[in-house]
Amino acid sequence: MTETTARNPLRDWVPETRTLLIGGEMVPPRGETWDVFNPATEQVIATVGGASGEQVDAAVAAARAAFPKWAALSGEERSRYIHRFADVLEAAADRLLPSIVNEVGTPVSLAQYLQVKMAVDEHLRWAAEAAKVDRTIHLGEYDKPHPTMSDVVHEPVGVVAAITGYNYPLNLAIFKFGAALAAGCTVVLLPSPRTPLTTLLLGELIQEAGLPPGVMNVIVGGTDVGRRLSAHRGVDRVSFTGSDAVGAKIMEQAAQNLVGVTLELGGKSPSLVMPDVDVQDIAVEMHLRWSRNGGQGCAALARLLVHEAKYDEFLEAGASAFDQMIVGDPWDPATNIGPMIRPDHQARVRGFIDEAVADGGKKLLEVTKPLPEKGWYVNPVLLGDLPPDARAVQQEIFGPVAVILPFKDTEDAIRLANDTAYGLAANVWCNDPVEARRIASQIRAGTVWINGGGAMRADAPFGGYGRSGVGRELGEWGMREYLEVKHIQWRL
């Protein structure tokens, strides 16, 4: 710990809000309580209470009651409300940032943009503008059996249950409620019980922004609360971000009421290095990218597929990246690798490493510096000499662990890229733009970057194939998840 971080008053700051937001009122929780930990210090930083079953019902009822008036507003009116909410969140950045750093463990050097600024300035603002769009489609005349005219209109689906993951509590919430509010839906927001504090603070900020009562409701809770919400008869759409195993349960629960779902789930995303690429230019960037946020990112490009002619050179070129990986205190500006969220997850990540080595794999590159005495940290490692069907190659680890496999030719690379149950994201490093597009077109993933791509666009869809989920978030495609389609036809 440096002298600067030792004096930083924000390193122990967490929101004081412990109340739920239901129908525009801050109400004390009546459900079970649990401790919230700082994963970098292992200290209890808060004790929170979850919603009771009756409070889940009340939150859904409040959203249901608020829906008709919110849906009836013009797009311009909803846009003004959402922009006002974005203004309040921008003004609260000095509270949102330490809340996220202290409950998630994301290094402050990354969190300021990735966890806060991008979510508000780009994604929520985009949703506010999207609220203004008239999506009516005029189909024109039709003459069978007599002349008619048709319009296709889009109407809000109703009450949305938005259930978020722990790793990006503000981003993932905005991805859901931004589009839902813009579409004219009302929302019940439920965060991961591992990181509830930022979302509880959101409840306070929702009131400050002046959203009409019941348009957004905030509850917290564990498995029982999540089950009650996703299976609730008053919910019209369930949007969930998390693991594919939990996503399957959410889908089953929502199916009881024939309710549609949007599921953004796991990934095992490949990054292909073609033989025409200078690996000296890209190897370090690739390693620093998959290890970002401690590898706790669903689209982490942690399955490295490298042409066999470049394999050894790639390993040598990327070695210096592991010298640049600073594991430790998230409040130290030099840190770029934070802790795992909980000790059970730390043990799970280490279990993948130990199993891979026991099965004949090797640690080809790794950080070997001693870890801090406190905190649920894992040193980043690149695993190699594993068969394509090894568990570490096939399953999402969600930690600072990558695997590398050589390939013989382009078709072998495409086969390996698609040899997974997931299909969230991928990347192709290739100097030939025509060949790069050809390869990208054959990879079964919802997002394919070429030569590193860029930041997550608010106007582009995000989601995946296979076990990576159902539906899409962001852009017009994300808006459609919260809209019903109605055909209106009249005689001329």
Side-chain angles (χ1 to χ4, degrees), residues 37 45 61 72 214 223 302 308 321 347 353 372-373 377 380 383 468 488:
F37 293 86
I45 54 175
T223 303
E308 58 187 12
I353 299 170
E373 293 182 5
Y377 295 95
L383 298 172
S468 286
I488 301 175

Side-chain angles (χ1 to χ4, degrees), residues 369-434:
K369 296 177 182 176
L371 293 171
E373 293 182 5
K374 288 287 187 179
W376 298 306
Y377 295 95
V378 175
N379 266 332
V381 61
L382 175 65
L383 298 172
D385 292 352
L386 290 166
D389 61 351
R391 195 168 74 100
V393 177
Q394 289 293 327
Q395 294 187 20
E396 184 178 44
I397 299 175
F398 222 62
V401 181
V403 296
I404 185 170
L405 295 127
F407 63 83
K408 296 179 180 180
D409 53 34
T410 302
E411 299 313 308
D412 189 33
I414 294 170
R415 179 187 61 80
L416 286 171
N418 292 331
D419 182 27
T420 171
Y422 299 100
L424 186 58
N427 179 76
V428 180
W429 292 99
C430 182
N431 286 335
D432 182 342
V434 175

Side-chain angles (χ1 to χ4, degrees), residues 284-293 299-301 427 429 449 452-454:
V284 170
E285 176 186 341
M286 289 174 65
H287 292 311
L288 294 178
R289 183 166 175 174
W290 59 254
S291 60
R292 189 172 60 190
N293 206 38
L301 297 163
N427 179 76
W429 292 99
W449 295 289

Side-chain angles (χ1 to χ4, degrees), residues 141-148 489:
E141 291 190 30
Y142 188 73
D143 61 358
K144 297 180 179 63
H146 41 255
T148 63
Q489 186 176 25

Side-chain angles (χ1 to χ4, degrees), residues 12 63 121 129 166 215 239 268 276 350 402 415 423 460:
D12 300 315
D121 290 356
E129 290 300 304
Y166 74 80
V215 168
S239 180
K268 195 66 179 178
D276 65 343
R350 287 177 172 172
R415 179 187 61 80

Side-chain angles (χ1 to χ4, degrees), residues 100-448:
I100 293 170
V101 173
N102 290 331
E103 72 170 341
V104 180
T106 302
V108 67
S109 58
L110 301 173
Q112 189 166 16
Y113 176 72
L114 286 178
Q115 292 275 18
V116 180
K117 189 174 179 60
M118 181 178 72
V120 179
D121 290 356
E122 298 178 30
H123 293 280
L124 190 54
R125 296 287 188 191
W126 186 92
E129 290 300 304
K132 302 175 184 178
V133 176
D134 180 1
R135 294 174 174 82
T136 302
I137 299 173
H138 306 288
L139 295 182
E141 291 190 30
Y142 188 73
D143 61 358
K144 297 180 179 63
H146 41 255
T148 63
M149 191 79 78
S150 287
D151 280 349
V152 175
V153 298
H154 296 80
E155 298 178 346
V157 68
V159 175
V160 173
I163 306 173
T164 61
Y166 74 80
N167 52 331
Y168 287 92
L170 182 60
N171 266 300
L172 299 179
I174 285 176
F175 290 178
K176 300 179 189 309
F177 73 68
L181 295 179
C185 298
T186 52
V187 178
V188 179
L189 178 61
L190 174 68
S192 165
R194 291 174 167 178
T195 53
L197 301 180
T198 302
T199 306
L200 288 171
L201 174 59
L202 272 181
E204 185 179 310
L205 299 175
I206 289 165
Q207 280 200 316
E208 185 178 332
L211 285 177
V215 168
M216 272 197 70
N217 305 270
V218 175
I219 60 175
V220 299
T223 303
D224 290 344
V225 170
R227 184 184 300 112
R228 191 177 185 104
L229 180 60
S230 60
H232 204 288
R233 290 186 178 182
V235 167
D236 300 297
R237 186 86 189 181
V238 180
S239 180
F240 169 77
T241 298
S243 71
D244 54 314
V246 177
K249 294 179 181 178
I250 295 283
M251 195 173 193
E252 181 181 357
Q253 290 155 14
Q256 297 173 29
N257 301 314
L258 296 180
V259 167
V261 295
T262 304
L263 304 175
E264 198 275 282
L265 308 178
K268 195 66 179 178
S269 302
S271 191
L272 288 64
V273 179
M274 307 313 291
D276 65 343
V277 173
D278 185 350
V279 295
Q280 300 290 335
D281 293 337
I282 66 170
V284 170
E285 176 186 341
M286 289 174 65
H287 292 311
L288 294 178
R289 183 166 175 174
W290 59 254
S291 60
R292 189 172 60 190
N293 206 38
Q296 296 168 107
C298 52
L301 297 163
R303 196 157 53 100
L304 313 183
L305 309 180
V306 181
H307 191 275
E308 58 187 12
K310 294 283 187 174
Y311 187 85
D312 291 338
E313 184 184 358
F314 177 84
L315 290 177
E316 182 178 352
S320 64
F322 288 77
D323 296 327
Q324 298 176 41
M325 294 178 185
I326 309 300
V327 182
D329 178 11
W331 284 103
D332 188 330
T335 298
N336 53 16
I337 310 290
M340 302 297 94
I341 192 65
R342 290 292 181 271
D344 60 328
H345 186 55
Q346 177 195 46
R348 179 181 180 274
V349 173
R350 287 177 172 172
F352 271 97
I353 299 170
D354 294 342
E355 179 185 296
V357 173
D359 289 345
K362 294 180 181 177
K363 298 179 182 180
L364 300 179
L365 295 170
E366 63 179 322
V367 173
T368 58
K369 296 177 182 176
L371 293 171
E373 293 182 5
K374 288 287 187 179
W376 298 306
Y377 295 95
V378 175
N379 266 332
V381 61
L382 175 65
L383 298 172
D385 292 352
L386 290 166
D389 61 351
R391 195 168 74 100
V393 177
Q394 289 293 327
Q395 294 187 20
E396 184 178 44
I397 299 175
F398 222 62
V401 181
V403 296
I404 185 170
L405 295 127
F407 63 83
K408 296 179 180 180
D409 53 34
T410 302
E411 299 313 308
D412 189 33
I414 294 170
R415 179 187 61 80
L416 286 171
N418 292 331
D419 182 27
T420 171
Y422 299 100
L424 186 58
N427 179 76
V428 180
W429 292 99
C430 182
N431 286 335
D432 182 342
V434 175
E435 177 68 356
R437 284 296 296 264
R438 186 187 77 83
I439 295 169
S441 70
Q442 296 187 58
I443 295 176
R444 293 184 57 79
T447 296
V448 181

